[in-house]
Amino acid sequence: MTVIATPTDEPERLTPKPADRARPSLTRRVALRLVPAVVAALSGVLLYVSFPPRTLWWLALPAFAGFAWSVRGRSWKAGLGSGYAFGLGFLLPLLVWTGVEVGPGPWLALVAIEAAFVALVGAAAAAVSRLPAWPVWAAALWIAGEAARARVPFNGFPWGKVAFGQADGAFLPLAALGGTPVLGFAVVLCGYGLYEAVSLAVAARRGTAVRRVTAAGAAVALALPLLAALAARPLVSSAAEDGTTTIAAIQGNVPRLGLDFNAQRRAVLDNHVKETERLAAEVARGRVAQPDLVLWPENSSDIDPFRNEDAREVIERAVAAIGVPIAVGGVVTTEDDRLLNQQILWDPQKGPVDTYDKRQIQPFGEYLPLRSIVSAVSSDAGMVRKDFSRGSEPGVFTMAGARVGIATCYEAAFDWAVRDTVTEGAQLLSVPSNNATFGRSEMTYQQLAMSRVRAVEHSRTVVVPVTSGVSAVIMPDGRVADRTGMFTPDTLVAEVPLRSSSTPATRLGVAPEVLLVLVAAGGLGGAAAVRLRTRRESTTG
């Protein structure tokens, strides 16, 4: 007997619909969403590796190419996540030195805040990535993000500017043209141009038609920054314009590393006195040239020489021994009980004749923002027992006829704090610093790179006297003429050029940064207009 099966007799077949077959699994969808964030994080690490003490400046280009891939054509929410991942990949290793002595809490909190700025840049870059000439808008957005980081919160934290990783790079002459904003813009634009060039090459290899306008735009974004840097080379010079002067930078060293180095404040002062007296003895023997002026580092006398007679006597002994003016880094309490991080110009005949009070003081190091809140949640608040006060005027000392501009330590990271010493007449710059609290971390090398960029930006010799290293003499072309090791007493003596001409960067001041911020705003406005038009068309259609 033959049995004929009816449709109801046959088991139901689970035949997938075409839409179901095309839809990836949940795991695959999650993985696809995570890939851009992973690429962004790895690109951030690559950007970190491009920074000193390594000389791999060119890695910044593939770093920004990878970041571009992670945000290009994606939603602003995806860009926000990729931006935060990029910021973490970059800033976590770059700023690890902030937790050397106080543990990971402050380090992680700082990185979390600073990476939030990068996240916003990522969201904005994703928004403008569908516009024509998007690399220009996106690169300007990065500089706008750096401008914001340099100002808020707590008066800003510009550490990690892209420009500061380019002290050994081909783009460095652009610092003389437009300062750190133009230098950083060129690097980011070139990185985005690299992404575009690679993307177009892959598309062409697959047989996809490439528009000539698109290819030309990629070529311009890739090549123009390099050509501009080449054209800016004549702005860089180490020729003496106002003669030369012989400087000595004293590195006295500290008794021990860490936050408690200043528990032996007298030992630190004595170390700098001894090193200066040793220099005087070498000069007397004819082994070293007689300096015209001597530069001591920040915190070389944490004992107030205006209130402590012993400190005053040993400083005067050192000044008398070398016989030339010394700029002494002191911690001073004024008559109205204000605490100042001060540079004191000490003349061999007249004693202290001029002072400079540090203006950009370090939050959580030299003053404690939100003291009541921080004290309630952290036992480390007691380390900053009394807040330092800010100075108000740029510091330019006249030392043996040379005009020496002062930017104390942390101030070297801020464009304005260096520029106004030059506009006030500085013929060379001194960046007295104290890095003893950060051990043998990369912090001192990062700060040294900042000073090299400043040298080119303003075409001035920059001398960096540091308590424990690395001290250095930097020529106006950014070249390190001499340097010390870390945690060793040493002295650098060098004849350096005095210069008084102004670079375009010095004359323009904040204008290039303002212009790039306006370009970034224009890009966001264009992206908003396109989005609004698209929404209207979809509604009417």
Side-chain angles (χ1 to χ4, degrees):
M1 180 175 64
T2 304
V3 178
I4 300 175
T6 64
T8 54
D9 297 323
E10 183 175 321
E12 183 180 356
R13 297 184 184 275
L14 301 176
T15 305
K17 298 177 182 179
D20 292 333
R21 286 198 300 268
R23 187 178 185 184
S25 66
L26 176 62
T27 303
R28 181 172 173 78
R29 292 202 306 273
V30 171
L32 288 173
R33 290 183 179 182
L34 285 177
V35 166
V38 172
V39 170
L42 293 176
S43 298
V45 173
L46 199 62
L47 181 60
Y48 156 70
V49 176
S50 75
F51 271 63
R54 295 157 295 278
T55 57
L56 303 174
W57 59 270
W58 52 270
L59 285 179
L61 304 185
F64 278 102
F67 183 48
W69 181 89
S70 72
V71 300
R72 177 83 158 101
R74 293 183 166 84
S75 69
W76 70 266
K77 291 181 180 178
L80 189 74
S82 290
Y84 202 74
F86 185 81
L88 291 177
F90 172 45
L91 296 170
L92 272 171
L94 185 81
L95 302 179
V96 68
W97 51 267
T98 59
V100 167
E101 293 295 331
V102 296
W107 162 50
L108 295 175
L110 175 63
V111 170
I113 294 170
E114 296 299 309
F117 288 90
V118 185
L120 293 174
V121 169
V128 303
S129 67
R130 292 180 174 85
L131 295 178
W134 73 268
V136 174
W137 313 116
L141 281 164
W142 181 272
I143 301 306
E146 288 189 341
R149 285 206 302 122
R151 290 165 173 82
V152 293
F154 312 126
N155 294 294
F157 186 77
W159 217 278
K161 273 190 171 186
V162 169
F164 295 149
Q166 297 296 308
D168 292 292
F171 298 97
L172 182 59
L174 290 170
L177 181 63
T180 59
V182 168
L183 174 53
F185 174 78
V187 174
V188 179
L189 178 62
C190 196
Y192 289 162
L194 175 62
Y195 162 78
E196 278 289 273
V198 171
S199 297
L200 293 176
V202 171
R205 187 176 181 84
R206 291 174 176 173
T208 305
V210 176
R211 297 175 59 192
R212 289 183 179 180
V213 174
T214 305
V220 169
L222 183 60
L224 184 60
L226 290 167
L227 292 174
L230 184 63
R233 282 292 306 168
L235 298 174
V236 181
S237 174
S238 288
E241 296 175 333
D242 304 312
T244 63
T245 191
T246 300
I247 62 89
I250 303 295
Q251 178 175 300
N253 202 19
V254 297
R256 57 177 177 265
L257 283 66
L259 289 174
D260 61 347
F261 83 95
N262 59 0
Q264 296 187 25
R265 294 177 298 167
R266 181 54 190 263
V268 175
L269 173 58
D270 287 344
N271 285 353
H272 287 84
V273 170
K274 289 175 184 176
E275 191 61 24
T276 304
E277 290 177 330
R278 187 189 69 79
L279 170 63
E282 293 292 290
V283 169
R285 296 187 186 102
R287 297 176 180 174
V288 179
Q290 169 68 50
D292 298 309
L293 58 97
V294 175
L295 302 170
W296 281 11
E298 178 188 35
N299 298 128
S300 46
S301 179
D302 273 358
I303 304 174
D304 186 344
F306 298 114
R307 295 193 171 206
N308 187 292
E309 191 62 32
D310 287 346
R312 186 185 184 100
E313 286 178 1
V314 295
I315 292 172
E316 289 184 338
R317 192 179 78 201
V319 175
I322 196 63
V324 299
I326 298 180
V328 177
V331 174
V332 172
T333 303
T334 64
E335 291 182 359
D336 56 356
D337 202 37
R338 291 183 302 124
L339 191 63
L340 298 172
N341 185 334
Q342 193 170 83
Q343 286 286 308
I344 308 164
L345 174 55
W346 216 290
D347 185 83
Q349 282 79 42
K350 301 177 182 178
V353 293
D354 201 357
T355 60
Y356 166 65
D357 303 329
K358 187 176 181 181
R359 294 171 292 163
Q360 188 68 40
I361 56 177
Q362 184 181 350
F364 303 100
E366 292 173 307
Y367 79 101
L368 192 62
L370 310 174
R371 181 177 287 274
S372 59
I373 298 174
V374 174
S375 299
V377 299
S378 175
S379 59
D380 293 331
M383 293 181 180
V384 187
R385 291 186 294 273
K386 183 177 181 180
D387 292 344
F388 279 81
S389 295
R390 300 175 184 274
S392 58
E393 300 293 331
V396 181
F397 290 165
T398 300
M399 303 180 71
R403 299 275 287 168
V404 182
I406 309 294
T408 305
C409 195
Y410 186 55
E411 292 182 323
F414 294 83
D415 295 347
W416 63 268
V418 180
R419 177 181 176 270
D420 65 5
T421 64
V422 178
T423 57
E424 285 291 317
Q427 297 168 301
L428 68 92
L429 299 172
S430 175
V431 183
S433 303
N434 172 28
N435 299 334
T437 54
F438 304 112
R440 298 184 180 275
S441 70
E442 294 181 355
M443 183 269 188
T444 188
Y445 301 103
Q446 294 170 9
Q447 192 174 54
L448 179 61
M450 292 179 192
S451 295
R452 294 179 63 190
V453 172
R454 299 304 184 196
V456 174
E457 182 178 11
H458 300 293
S459 196
R460 295 292 187 271
T461 298
V462 179
V463 185
V464 186
V466 183
T467 51
S468 54
V470 174
S471 298
V473 178
I474 304 165
M475 293 292 107
D477 61 2
R479 176 177 54 89
V480 178
D482 201 1
R483 61 188 288 178
T484 68
M486 293 182 71
F487 294 100
T488 180
D490 205 348
T491 297
L492 302 177
V493 179
E495 184 181 6
V496 299
L498 297 175
R499 294 178 60 85
S500 55
S501 63
S502 296
T503 64
T506 306
R507 293 193 296 270
L508 291 170
V510 76
E513 185 178 59
V514 171
L515 177 61
L516 289 170
V517 170
L518 292 175
V519 170
L524 285 176
V530 169
R531 184 177 178 86
L532 181 60
R533 185 172 64 248
T534 303
R535 190 175 288 177
R536 284 176 178 172
E537 289 173 353
S538 63
T539 302
T540 57

